[in-house]
């Protein structure tokens, strides 16, 4: 796994080994996620794309009344 989004406020173990690339706030509920990359494959442009992807995924989850996961795997 190269990149994940992790809900803020989670235990540190879940984030261990990832470099924080930025934070995204869900418009629907205000929960914050940060994007973590594997330190060996850090890419700021990819992180920006993933932030947009994540924003859509979170909005869709609200539409479907689905709870956000604590940890979401991100596409490359
Ligand atoms: Zn939300």
């Amino acid at each position: 796994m190269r990149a994940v989004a992790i809900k803020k406020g989670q235990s540190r173990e879940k984030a261990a080994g990832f470099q924080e690339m930025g934070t995204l706030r869900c418009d629907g509920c205000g929960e914050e996620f940060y994007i973590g990359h594997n330190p060996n494959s850090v890419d700021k442009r990819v992180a920006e794309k993933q932030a947009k992807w994540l924003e859509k995924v979170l909005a869709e989850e609200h539409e479907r009344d689905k709870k956000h996961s604590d940890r979401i795997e991100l596409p490359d």
Side-chain angles (χ1 to χ4, degrees):
M1 190 195 323
R2 298 176 59 200
V4 289
I6 298 167
K7 198 189 278 179
K8 283 212 167 180
Q10 296 302 306
S11 62
R12 284 195 158 257
E13 298 96 79
K14 286 195 181 162
F18 290 100
Q19 174 153 346
E20 190 172 335
M21 300 299 291
T23 304
L24 183 89
R25 192 169 177 276
C26 176
D27 284 339
C29 63
E31 268 179 326
E32 287 187 314
F33 290 80
Y34 70 85
I35 291 172
H37 277 188
N38 183 317
N40 296 323
S41 56
V42 165
D43 190 325
K44 204 169 187 300
R45 282 181 58 195
V46 170
E48 282 165 16
K49 272 190 219 158
Q50 288 165 335
K52 287 199 183 108
W53 179 88
L54 181 62
E55 203 173 6
K56 268 189 228 159
V57 168
L58 295 175
E60 277 169 19
E61 287 185 338
H62 279 287
E63 280 169 21
R64 289 185 284 138
D65 264 338
K66 193 169 173 281
K67 219 171 157 265
H68 302 320
S69 307
D70 292 343
R71 181 174 171 137
I72 300 167
E73 283 187 41
L74 298 169
D76 285 340

